[in-house]
Amino acid sequence: MARVVVDPVTRIEGHLRIELIVDEKTGKVTDAVSSGTMWRGIELILKGRDPRDAWAFAQRICGVCTSIHALASVRAVEDALEIKIPKNANYIRNIMYGALQVHDHVVHFYHLHALDWVSPVEALKADPVQTAVLQNQLLEKYGAIADLMPDPIGRRAYPKKFPKATPGYYRAFQEKIKKIVESGQLGIFAAHWWDHPDYKLLPPEVHLMAVAHYLNMLDVQRELFIPQVVFGGKNPHPHYIVGGMSCSISMDDMNAPVNAERLAVVEDAIYTQAEAVNLFYLVDLLAIGHIYVQKGQVYGGGLAKRRVIGYGEFPDEPYSGIRNGEYHKQVLYHSNGVVEDFVEGVERAKYYTLVGKDFADPEVIQEFVAHSWYSYPDENKGLHPWNGITQPKYTGPKEGTKTHWKYLDEKGKYSWIKSPRWKGKPCEVGPLARYIVTYTAVKQGHIKPSWMDEMIVKQVDTVSEVLGLPPHVWLTTTVGRTAARGLEAQVGVAANLYFLKKLYDNIKAGDTSVANMERWEPSTWPKEAKGVGLTEAPRGALGHWVIIRDGKIENYQCVVPTTWNGGARDPMGGQGAFEECMKDTPLQVVNKPLEVLRGIHSFDPCLACSTH
Amino acid sequence: METFWETFKRHGVNRRDFLRFATLMTGIMGLSPSMIPQVVKAMETKPRVPVLWIHGLECTCCSESFIRSATPLASDVLLSMISLEYDDTLSAAAGEDLEKHRKEIIKKYWGNYILAVEGNPPLGEDGMYCIVNGEPFLKHLKESAEGAKAVIAWGSCASWGCVQAAKPNPTTAVSIDKVIKDKPIIKVPGCPPIAEVMTGVIMHLVLFDSIPPLDSQGRPKQFYGNRIHDTCYRRAFFNAGQFVERFDDEGAKKGWCLYKVGCRGPTTYNSCGNIRWYNGLSYPIQAGHGCIGCSEENFWDNGPFYQRLTTIPVPSVEANADKVGMAVAAAAAAGAVAHGVISKIRSKPNKGGE
Amino acid sequence: MREETVKRIYIFSPSLRIWHWVNFLSILTLFLTGLYIGNPFFIGSVGHEATYAYARNLTMDFIRLIHFSAGYVLLFSFLFRLFIAFFYKGDRLFIPKVWRANFWKGLVEMVLHYIFIKPWHRTYVRNPLARLAYLLLYLALAFMIITGFAMYGLSDPSGFWAKLFGWVVPLLGGEFMVHMWHHWFAWLIIIFAIVHVYLVIRFDVIEKEGEVSSMFNGMKNFKETPVDVEDVA
Ligand code: HEM
Ligand code: HEM
Ligand code: NFV
Ligand code: SF4
Ligand code: SF4
Ligand code: F3S
Ligand SMILES: [Mg+2]
C-alpha cells in the first residue's frame, strides 16, 4: 500500500490537500483523505454586526462563486425579518444568479478542468486543417443540443460568437502553444503529468480544438458576467441590499441605474452566454465526454450513486419567506430534495422532498466536527446551524510536526472543513446532485414539473441517447458530474432570457420598484428573529442560518457546498463526496494520480467556501 | 525571453498595429502622449517576466477580477507579457511537482522574477490557519519573496488584511508588508481591485522595468491618486445637496448622490469613478449602491455601511457622534445650570488666606 | 461691599480680545456648517439643475465653501494667537505651570471647589484648571485644523495641504476615520464652549470679577491680589 499526497491541489479555489491509500498492484484507491487547509473565521467575524451589512462579509467567503453568498445572506436576513422583495428585484437577482451559473461553469470547464482531459502537448501534434474539419463535424453531430434552450425573447439576429472552424484559427493557437513550449517558459503549463496515458485517449485534433477554446474562452468569459456589473455595479463582488436591489429603474431619468440602454447591455450579454454555452461549451463537452465514456471511463460517481441533496432555486415570483414554505412554492428548479440509490435506476431510487420547515428542523441538517479542527461540547453529536459553533482547535498531523506534515491523521482531526449531514448521513451536492433530484422528482411524479424541470429532463434524455447509456449509468461518473454542470449552464442561460422577459413585461406594466424598504430601520424589527437563506450555488446546495437579536447578528452559520462535498468524515464513519469519489477511481500511474485529480476537479472544489 | 514586438511579429501583427497598441497602452496607463516613443521602445526591448502568483487566506476574487481585464486582455498578459510560472488557480500541475517547479524558478530567476501575492498570512496557530504543502503559507510567502525583484500585494487582503483581519481577526491575519520588510511592495488594494488596474500595474512593471510611482502608502499613484468622491459622476448632486434618502426613492431613480445612505466615496481612494469596472461599464455607485470603501484599510470595521457616521466605538453605546454629542452637550448645559444654581446658593465671597 | 478694595487689573491685550471673538465666530460657523456636512438634514436645491444649483441656494457646495473659508479664518487666527503670545505676558496665561507644585495644588483645589467640597478657592488671574483646559482646547483646535486641512487638501494628493498634513490620514487609520475624529472633536469643542461660557458667567455673577466684560475691555476686578498676578504685571 502506498500513501500518495497531492498538496497543493491546483486549478481549484483555495487550499486543498488529498492523500490516497493505493494498492500499487491494482491501482485501486482503498481509502482517501480530503483536507481543507485554510480557515478565516468569517462566521465569527459576522457576529455582532448589522445584519444589513452581512451580505458583504459573507460575499467575501468566495470570489469565484462571487455573489452567491451575498444572495444567501440577504435571503436569510429577509427570511428572519419577514421581508418580501419586489418582483423586479426577484427577476434581477435571478438574472445575476443565472449569470453566475453560466460564468462559473464555463470557467470551470475550460480553465480549471479542461487540462485534466486535454493537453497542449498533444495539441501540437494536430493538423489545423483536420481540426477545422472536426469542428464542423462536431457542430453537426452535437449542435442540436442548442435547440433544448427556449428563448422567450428571440431577438438575436444570428450568433456573434461561434467557433471558428478555419485552419487559420487553429494554426494561430497551435503556434502560440508551440512558441511557449519552445521558449522553455511553460508558464501555467509547466511541470504537469503530460505523459499520462489518459492524454492519449483523444485524437490530437480534439486536443487542439479544446486548447484553442480554452484560450478563446479566457477572453470571452468576462462578458458572461456583464449582467452583474450592470445590476450590482461590479464583478467580482457585486452589491446587494436587504429588501431587494439598489439599482433603481426609471425610464424618465437619464441618471437612473437601470434604463433601456442598461437593459440592452444585459440582453446582449445573455445572448453571449447562450453562444458560449451552446456553441462552445456543450459541443466540446459532449465530444470529449463521449469518447471518454466510450473508452470505458465510467467511474468516479462515488457518493452520487448513493445519496445526493439539493435545495431548489429560481423563485418564479417573490415569496414571503423560506421557513414558512413559500420559497419552495415558487422555485422553478425543483432540486429541493434528497435522492438515494440513483445508481440502481431512476425507478428504484428513493426520493425525499425538502421544503422550508425542514431547514428549521434541528434534526434534518446538522454539522459535525469530530474529524475537523473545531471543538464542540459533544463531538459525537451534530449541531443544527442555528445552534452552530465555530471554535477552532488545531491538532496537527499523524506523521510530521505541527508545521511540517508528512501524513494526516484520518482517525483524528484532519481538516478545516466541517462535516454537514442530512439526518446524520453524508450527501453529494452540485449540478449532478441537482440533476439527479430533479430528474427523479419528475420521472417518479413527485412534482408538477416547471418548464425548467422539463428542460432538464429533456437534456438528460437527449444526452442518454447520444451516449447510448441510461442516465443512472453515465450520470453517476466523473464524466456525468462534468456533463451535468454543462447542461446546467444552458438552464442558466434559459432562465436569464426568461427572467429578462419578465422584467421587461413588468416594467412595461408600470412597476419599477426594486426595493422594499418597509423593514429597513432596525426599529421595525422584532427583538429576536431567526432566518434561513437558501440557494443553489454553482457547486451545490448552500444555506446561511442567521439569528438576529437586538438588531445585531447573534449567530451566523454557513453550510456550504464544498463543505458537504469536501468535508471530513463523521463520527459514524460516513465519508464525504470527495473521499467517496476518490475511492471509486482506479489509477494507472500511482504517483501521477491524474484520474483522481480529474475526479476531484469534477466537483469544482472551492476551499475558501468550504471552510469560510 | 522575447520582446513584445517579437511576440507581435510572430503573430503576424504588422508594425502599424503594434504602434497603435502601444499608443493605446500609453493612454490606458494615464501617460501623456509624449511618452508614446518610450512605451514603444520599452515594448521592443523588454523580455517577458517570470511571475509567481501565490495565494494565502483570500477568496480568489482578485484572480477572478484579473481575468476580467479587457485592455489588455488577460490572455495577452498571461501568455505574452509575463510568464506565469506558478499559480494555484491556473497552473496545470499540482502537488510536489508544482512545488518543485516553484523552487526551480526562484533559483533560476533569482532577483528577476515578480512575486504576486493574493491573500495574506495568518500568524495565529503558528500559521496553520493557511497551509500549503503541509507547511504554513507564511513560510511559503517568505521563501518566495526572498529572491523576488518586487512584490505585488493584490487586493485588500494582501495590502491591508481585509475581511479575515476584521474584528476579531480570529486567525491573526496580517497584510504582507508586516512580514516582508526588505522588498519593494506595490499595494493594489480593492476587494477586489479593478481588473484594468491590475493589468495596468503589470503593464507598467513590464514596459518600464520599474515600479510604478507609489504614494506614501505604497499604492500606484496613477490608480489610487484620487478619491472616488472627487471623480464621481454624481458629484454634482452632492454639491447641490440632492441626496438619496432611502434606496429606491425618487432621488435614487434620478441618480442623486448616495452620501446619506452611507457612501464611502468621500474617503476612498480608487479608480472606480474614472476607469470604472469592466472598462467603464459601471461601478457600485452607478448601480445605485454607495461605495463601501473596499480599497481602504480597515473598511470592514468602519461600518455599518449604510450609515454616514459610524456608531461610537464604545461598548454598548448605540449612537453616532451627533446623537451622543447632542446628548452630552445637553447634559453639559443642564449640568451648568444646576451647578450655577447650587453655586449661587452656597456662594461665599473668597477669603483668600483665611 | 468693600468697593475700595477692588483692584482692576489689565489682563488681555487688544489683540487677544479681537482674536477671541474672531475665534468664537469662526468656530460657531465651522460647527454649524460641519454638522450639515456630516448630515445634510435639509435638501439644498430642489428643482434646479444640479450643476448650477449651488449658486441659488444653501447647498452642500456653498456650505462647504463657508466651512473651508471659516477654516482658513480659524487657521490664521490660531497662528495669530500663537504669535501674540510672544509679545504680551497676559497672552501667555494658557500655559499651565506644571513644573510648579503650586500649580497642582491649585488644580486640586479648583476641582474640589467645583464639586462643592471646598467652599472657597484662592484668587487667580487665571486658575490652574482653566489654564489646563485652555491648553487642551488649543490642542484640540490644532487637531481640527490638521485633520480639516488634510481632508480639504487630499483632493490633490500631491498638493500643498496634502504634503503638509497628509501624514495624519494613515496615522488615524484611513480617511474615513479622519472624518470621524474630526466630527467627534467638533462636539468636544462645543461642549468645552458650553462649560466655558457657563464658568465665565459664573465668575461674573458669583465672584464678581467682571469676567465677561474682560474679553471686551481687557480688565478684570479682584477683591484681593491674585496669587498669580506676576503673570500679568
Ligand atoms: C473647530 C473647528 C471645526 C469644527 C467644529 C468642524 C466641524 C466639522 C464637522 C462636524 C464636519 C463633518 C465631519 C463628517 O462627518 O465628515 C467637518 C467636515 C470637514 N471639515 Fe471641519 N470643522 C472644524 C475645522 C475645520 C478646519 C480648520 C478645516 C480646514 C479646512 C475643516 C475642514 C473640513 C473638511 C474638509 C471637512 C469634510 C468636508 C466634506 O467631507 O465634504 N474643518 N467639520
Ligand atoms: C467657541 C466658543 C469659545 C471658545 C473656543 C473660547 C475660547 C477661549 C479661550 C481659548 C480663552 C483663553 C484665552 C487665553 O488666555 O489663551 C478664552 C477666554 C475667555 N472667554 Fe472664551 N471662548 C469661546 C466663547 C466665549 C463666549 C461666548 C464668551 C462670553 C460669554 C467668552 C468669554 C471669555 C472670557 C471672559 C474669557 C477670559 C476668561 C479668563 O481668562 O478667565 N468666550 N475663551
Ligand atoms: N462551495 C462553494 Fe462556493 C460555490 N459554488 C459556495 O457557496 O465556491 Ni467558491
Ligand atoms: S481582497 Fe477581497 S476580493 Fe481580493 S481576495 Fe481578498 S477578499 Fe477576495
Ligand atoms: S455618490 Fe458617493 S462618491 Fe458619488 S458624489 Fe455622492 S458621496 Fe460622493
Ligand atoms: S466599494 Fe469598492 S469597488 Fe469601488 S466604489 Fe467603492 S471602492
Ligand atoms: Mg459553517
Side-chain angles (χ1 to χ4, degrees):
Chain A
M1 288 288 166
R3 193 159 173 132
V4 180
V5 179
V6 183
D7 182 1
V9 175
T10 51
R11 281 184 283 125
I12 61 165
E13 196 298 325
H15 302 280
L16 172 69
R17 174 190 183 92
I18 53 174
E19 296 187 6
L20 311 166
I21 293 130
V22 194
D23 181 339
E24 289 128 304
K25 290 192 203 83
T26 60
K28 193 176 156 40
V29 179
T30 58
D31 199 3
V33 176
S34 149
S35 170
T37 60
M38 63 184 287
W39 177 71
R40 289 167 294 163
I42 290 176
E43 290 165 336
L44 303 181
I45 291 163
L46 273 159
K47 280 194 186 186
R49 309 238 176 211
D50 188 322
R52 291 168 299 180
D53 290 359
W55 68 264
F57 287 81
Q59 186 171 59
R60 268 62 182 188
I61 288 174
C62 186
V64 176
C65 61
T66 177
S67 77
I68 201 69
H69 289 282
L71 181 62
S73 180
V74 292
R75 281 182 177 171
V77 173
E78 286 156 4
D79 186 45
L81 302 174
E82 296 176 5
I83 297 169
K84 184 175 182 176
I85 65 171
K87 279 168 173 265
N88 292 328
N90 181 56
Y91 306 149
I92 288 171
R93 284 184 183 179
N94 281 338
I95 295 169
M96 291 173 72
Y97 167 76
L100 166 67
Q101 285 284 56
V102 175
H103 178 276
D104 208 358
H105 290 354
V106 166
V107 167
H108 174 259
F109 180 70
Y110 285 105
H111 306 113
L112 304 179
H113 203 16
L115 298 179
D116 299 328
W117 310 85
V118 301
S119 147
V121 182
E122 295 302 316
L124 289 180
K125 300 175 191 153
D127 173 1
V129 179
Q130 282 313 308
T131 311
V133 172
L134 173 81
Q135 172 77 83
N136 279 322
Q137 287 169 347
L138 294 176
L139 283 168
E140 286 298 313
K141 186 168 172 190
Y142 302 113
I145 192 95
D147 302 338
L148 299 180
M149 190 197 81
D151 176 1
I153 293 180
R155 231 195 309 275
R156 194 72 145 186
Y158 49 81
K160 318 292 167 178
K161 294 216 161 76
F162 42 84
K164 294 170 190 55
T166 69
Y169 172 82
Y170 287 112
R171 198 170 292 120
F173 286 104
Q174 196 180 37
E175 255 166 40
K176 177 75 219 180
I177 301 160
K178 200 163 145 207
K179 277 284 144 55
I180 287 175
V181 172
E182 280 170 1
S183 75
Q185 277 189 300
L186 288 179
I188 52 179
F189 303 122
H192 189 47
W193 311 317
W194 300 121
D195 55 352
H196 192 279
D198 272 4
Y199 288 119
K200 300 282 180 218
L201 288 177
L202 304 170
E205 283 70 27
V206 176
H207 285 276
L208 179 56
M209 181 189 76
V211 173
H213 291 170
Y214 172 112
L215 297 173
N216 202 160
M217 282 298 124
L218 191 54
D219 296 341
V220 173
Q221 52 79 29
R222 62 181 299 281
E223 298 170 44
L224 310 178
F225 250 146
I226 281 174
Q228 288 205 346
V229 182
V230 170
F231 294 129
K234 68 193 261 223
N235 173 278
H237 297 335
H239 286 196
Y240 284 74
I241 55 170
V242 165
M245 293 300 296
S246 66
C247 54
S248 292
I249 302 169
S250 170
M251 303 299 150
D252 293 327
D253 297 287
M254 74 167 283
N255 262 324
V258 174
N259 57 23
E261 180 269 345
R262 297 271 104 178
L263 291 169
V265 172
V266 171
E267 185 179 303
D268 175 71
I270 296 175
Y271 279 114
T272 301
Q273 295 171 355
E275 289 152 17
V277 170
N278 288 335
L279 304 174
F280 289 82
Y281 188 0
L282 286 175
V283 174
D284 292 354
L285 172 72
L286 289 173
I288 296 169
H290 200 171
I291 297 174
Y292 267 75
V293 169
Q294 281 170 340
K295 305 256 171 170
Q297 295 226 2
V298 284
Y299 50 72
L303 190 55
K305 296 172 179 172
R306 295 214 330 269
R307 200 175 307 100
V308 297
I309 192 171
Y311 294 169
E313 246 303 345
F314 284 123
D316 199 23
E317 291 296 340
Y319 48 88
S320 66
I322 293 179
R323 282 166 302 149
N324 65 9
E326 292 301 314
Y327 173 78
H328 287 107
K329 287 185 191 150
Q330 288 296 341
V331 298
L332 292 175
Y333 192 173
H334 286 97
S335 59
N336 51 311
V338 173
V339 169
E340 290 187 320
D341 303 325
F342 184 75
V343 75
E344 286 167 25
V346 66
E347 299 81 17
R348 302 176 61 186
K350 290 190 269 310
Y351 172 89
Y352 311 86
T353 190
L354 275 178
V355 292
K357 63 176 178 1
D358 299 315
F359 297 91
D361 184 334
E363 302 300 323
V364 175
I365 286 168
Q366 297 183 325
E367 284 191 307
F368 293 79
V369 297
H371 292 279
S372 321
W373 285 310
Y374 304 95
S375 62
Y376 272 5
D378 177 354
E379 295 193 354
N380 286 317
K381 293 223 176 78
L383 291 178
H384 182 268
W386 274 333
N387 309 318
I389 300 172
T390 301
Q391 174 66 46
K393 183 191 172 190
Y394 175 75
T395 55
K398 175 166 66 189
E399 280 179 51
T401 65
K402 175 178 185 184
T403 55
H404 184 91
W405 302 346
K406 190 161 161 58
Y407 297 127
L408 287 170
D409 181 11
E410 66 272 25
K411 300 220 166 55
K413 293 183 183 285
Y414 66 90
S415 176
W416 283 113
I417 316 179
K418 292 181 180 177
S419 319
R421 294 296 181 261
W422 169 78
K423 299 189 174 169
K425 294 172 196 152
C427 304
E428 177 169 327
V429 298
L432 174 58
R434 295 192 275 259
Y435 266 53
I436 290 175
V437 174
T438 308
Y439 191 76
T440 309
V442 175
K443 290 280 169 166
Q444 294 190 355
H446 298 290
I447 55 164
K448 190 170 152 284
S450 68
W451 67 264
M452 203 179 279
D453 301 325
E454 276 165 2
M455 175 177 172
I456 288 165
V457 170
K458 228 188 292 170
Q459 286 177 322
V460 172
D461 290 342
T462 305
V463 174
S464 300
E465 220 167 282
V466 169
L467 299 178
L469 293 170
H472 69 269
V473 174
W474 69 267
L475 265 179
T476 55
T477 65
T478 293
V479 174
R481 198 175 285 113
T482 298
R485 182 174 295 105
L487 297 173
E488 196 183 55
Q490 196 187 34
V491 172
V493 181
N496 288 345
L497 291 166
Y498 173 81
F499 284 111
L500 186 62
K501 172 89 173 24
K502 286 192 122 181
L503 182 61
Y504 289 162
D505 292 345
N506 199 45
I507 296 172
K508 204 196 269 172
D511 177 6
T512 58
S513 166
V514 292
N516 172 358
M517 300 300 285
E518 279 165 30
R519 299 265 167 82
W520 180 254
E521 293 302 329
S523 56
T524 62
W525 303 348
K527 201 173 154 41
E528 187 180 310
K530 290 176 168 193
V532 190
L534 302 178
T535 175
E536 290 282 11
R539 289 155 192 76
L542 170 65
H544 286 195
W545 279 258
V546 66
I547 299 182
I548 299 166
R549 182 169 295 143
D550 298 325
K552 290 274 148 74
I553 294 171
E554 170 91 359
N555 199 13
Y556 201 103
Q557 290 279 317
C558 316
V559 182
V560 182
T562 305
T563 321
W564 282 97
N565 286 341
R569 321 165 172 212
D570 58 48
M572 297 75 74
Q575 285 177 282
F578 283 10
E579 295 186 358
E580 291 290 357
C581 165
M582 293 191 269
K583 292 198 302 188
D584 192 18
T585 303
L587 295 181
Q588 295 165 78
V589 189
V590 171
N591 61 353
K592 291 179 181 169
L594 180 66
E595 300 87 339
V596 159
L597 209 56
R598 191 188 300 131
I600 288 290
H601 282 153
S602 74
F603 290 95
D604 192 3
C606 177
L607 275 291
C609 271
S610 71
T611 62
H612 40 278
Chain B
M1 292 190 273
E2 69 183 341
T3 67
F4 282 100
W5 171 228
E6 284 161 354
T7 312
F8 275 78
K9 260 197 304 206
R10 228 175 358 80
H11 271 302
V13 174
N14 62 29
R15 181 85 190 155
R16 211 178 56 220
D17 286 346
F18 169 72
L19 292 177
R20 197 179 299 147
F21 179 74
T23 310
L24 188 73
M25 280 300 103
T26 313
I28 285 164
M29 291 190 305
L31 301 172
S32 78
S34 63
M35 292 290 283
I36 293 173
Q38 250 172 287
V39 174
V40 172
K41 186 151 175 284
M43 290 178 90
E44 282 174 335
T45 51
K46 293 292 181 279
R48 283 164 50 203
V49 186
V51 174
L52 301 180
W53 185 319
I54 62 173
H55 295 241
L57 286 185
E58 44 84 38
C59 79
T60 309
C61 69
C62 296
S63 293
E64 285 283 348
S65 186
F66 186 85
I67 63 172
R68 308 286 194 273
S69 176
T71 48
L73 274 166
S75 60
D76 292 332
V77 178
L78 290 177
L79 300 169
S80 294
M81 299 182 199
I82 61 170
S83 185
L84 186 60
E85 293 292 338
Y86 181 104
D87 178 11
D88 310 33
T89 329
L90 288 172
S91 283
E96 202 55 54
D97 295 300
L98 181 63
E99 284 306 302
K100 235 187 275 156
H101 183 67
R102 179 176 61 91
K103 287 178 186 146
E104 276 162 20
I105 293 292
I106 293 175
K107 234 191 289 158
K108 188 164 163 199
Y109 296 101
W110 188 265
N112 285 315
Y113 66 89
I114 303 279
L115 176 68
V117 186
E118 180 172 356
N120 54 25
L123 303 182
E125 203 60 82
D126 291 336
M128 296 308 269
Y129 291 116
C130 186
I131 309 156
V132 182
N133 201 15
E135 293 183 333
F137 168 70
L138 182 62
K139 180 171 176 239
H140 195 72
L141 170 64
K142 285 184 173 164
E143 202 177 271
S144 306
E146 234 194 310
K149 175 153 93 177
V151 181
I152 305 177
W154 284 142
S156 294
C157 284
S159 301
W160 308 126
C162 208
V163 68
Q164 56 269 21
K167 287 183 188 120
N169 191 353
T171 61
T172 325
V174 295
S175 56
I176 63 167
D177 58 356
K178 297 273 173 0
V179 294
I180 303 172
K181 303 275 190 192
D182 56 349
K183 294 281 160 182
I185 296 180
I186 308 159
K187 289 187 172 182
V188 189
C191 188
I194 297 169
E196 284 75 19
V197 166
M198 299 179 79
T199 49
V201 168
I202 298 254
M203 285 293 291
H204 190 106
L205 279 169
V206 170
L207 285 186
F208 304 112
D209 194 16
S210 71
I211 297 202
L214 305 178
D215 68 10
S216 65
Q217 298 184 62
R219 302 171 297 192
K221 287 183 183 167
Q222 44 189 317
F223 301 118
Y224 297 91
N226 287 103
R227 288 183 282 234
I228 289 166
H229 191 53
D230 292 333
T231 53
C232 179
Y233 78 111
R234 297 193 184 206
R235 180 58 182 267
F237 298 107
F238 173 87
N239 287 353
Q242 295 172 336
F243 300 105
V244 173
E245 300 284 332
R246 239 163 198 265
F247 288 109
D248 212 25
D249 65 3
E250 277 310 302
K253 289 189 205 295
K254 291 190 162 77
W256 285 0
C257 170
L258 296 159
Y259 188 68
K260 290 183 79 175
V261 288
C263 182
R264 299 290 191 258
T267 54
T268 302
Y269 290 78
N270 205 343
S271 293
C272 299
N274 45 354
I275 291 181
R276 303 196 190 180
W277 289 74
Y278 265 64
N279 244 11
L281 180 59
S282 189
Y283 67 121
I285 290 163
Q286 196 172 343
H289 195 293
C291 167
I292 63 172
C294 79
S295 55
E296 287 292 303
E297 188 164 10
N298 288 332
F299 76 98
W300 294 108
D301 291 328
N302 289 343
F305 294 138
Y306 301 100
Q307 248 164 263
R308 239 295 286 151
L309 298 170
T310 47
T311 42
I312 296 278
V314 174
S316 71
V317 174
E318 263 318 307
N320 66 31
D322 284 352
K323 284 190 190 134
V324 173
M326 199 73 89
V328 176
V337 172
H339 195 269
V341 171
I342 300 172
S343 302
K344 183 73 194 161
I345 294 167
R346 303 182 44 159
S347 77
K348 290 182 195 137
N350 275 352
K351 293 189 204 131
E354 246 172 62
Chain C
M1 282 282 134
R2 297 179 294 168
E3 286 287 328
E4 66 286 357
T5 61
V6 170
K7 294 188 185 73
R8 272 174 82 77
I9 302 179
Y10 181 73
I11 301 172
F12 301 123
S13 70
S15 320
L16 186 120
R17 283 174 270 152
I18 292 168
W19 163 79
H20 180 272
W21 295 112
V22 169
N23 184 56
F24 166 63
L25 290 176
S26 68
I27 290 179
L28 195 66
T29 311
L30 282 161
F31 181 67
L32 294 177
T33 52
L35 278 195
Y36 181 83
I37 293 168
N39 175 22
F41 44 87
F42 59 84
I43 294 282
S45 58
V46 183
H48 293 298
E49 207 273 311
T51 308
Y52 303 107
Y54 72 93
R56 302 180 197 263
N57 274 295
L58 265 186
T59 58
M60 181 59 112
D61 207 23
F62 185 66
I63 287 169
R64 288 174 86 238
L65 180 69
I66 298 174
H67 192 81
F68 304 149
S69 310
Y72 272 104
V73 172
L74 183 74
L75 168 71
F76 287 114
S77 68
F78 188 79
L79 293 176
F80 175 76
R81 175 68 191 83
L82 295 183
F83 180 72
I84 61 175
F86 288 101
F87 301 101
Y88 185 69
K89 261 184 135 182
D91 296 351
R92 288 197 285 272
L93 287 174
F94 67 90
I95 299 171
K97 297 191 168 171
V98 293
W99 55 92
R100 290 205 185 152
N102 251 350
F103 172 83
W104 297 103
K105 229 175 104 188
L107 189 74
V108 171
E109 186 185 274
M110 285 313 293
V111 171
L112 293 177
H113 175 71
Y114 284 141
I115 60 174
F116 306 120
I117 289 175
K118 205 170 165 117
W120 58 270
H121 64 82
R122 277 170 292 183
T123 300
Y124 296 94
V125 172
R126 169 72 55 73
N127 77 59
L129 186 62
R131 287 174 188 237
L132 188 64
Y134 291 136
L135 179 74
L136 292 178
L137 179 84
Y138 285 128
L139 291 176
L141 289 179
F143 180 82
M144 292 307 275
I145 290 168
I146 292 170
T147 52
F149 277 100
M151 293 186 285
Y152 174 69
L154 272 166
S155 49
D156 176 10
S158 45
F160 173 76
W161 290 116
K163 285 211 177 92
L164 196 62
F165 293 138
W167 48 268
V168 75
V169 172
L171 209 68
L172 291 179
E175 198 162 321
F176 181 82
M177 286 316 290
V178 177
H179 274 256
M180 292 306 113
W181 284 108
H182 192 78
H183 205 116
W184 295 329
F185 267 68
W187 280 104
L188 208 71
I189 288 168
I190 288 316
I191 288 159
F192 162 87
I194 292 170
V195 175
H196 168 68
V197 170
Y198 160 65
L199 288 176
V200 165
I201 295 173
R202 182 181 187 274
F203 269 84
D204 220 339
V205 174
I206 295 175
E207 311 200 354
K208 309 232 161 33
E209 289 179 356
E211 199 81 0
V212 176
S213 55
S214 72
M215 244 333 130
F216 294 97
N217 60 22
M219 314 276 249
K220 278 198 205 177
N221 308 321
F222 295 99
K223 294 171 204 110
E224 57 189 15
T225 309
V227 292
D228 56 350
V229 73
E230 65 189 40
D231 286 346
V232 279

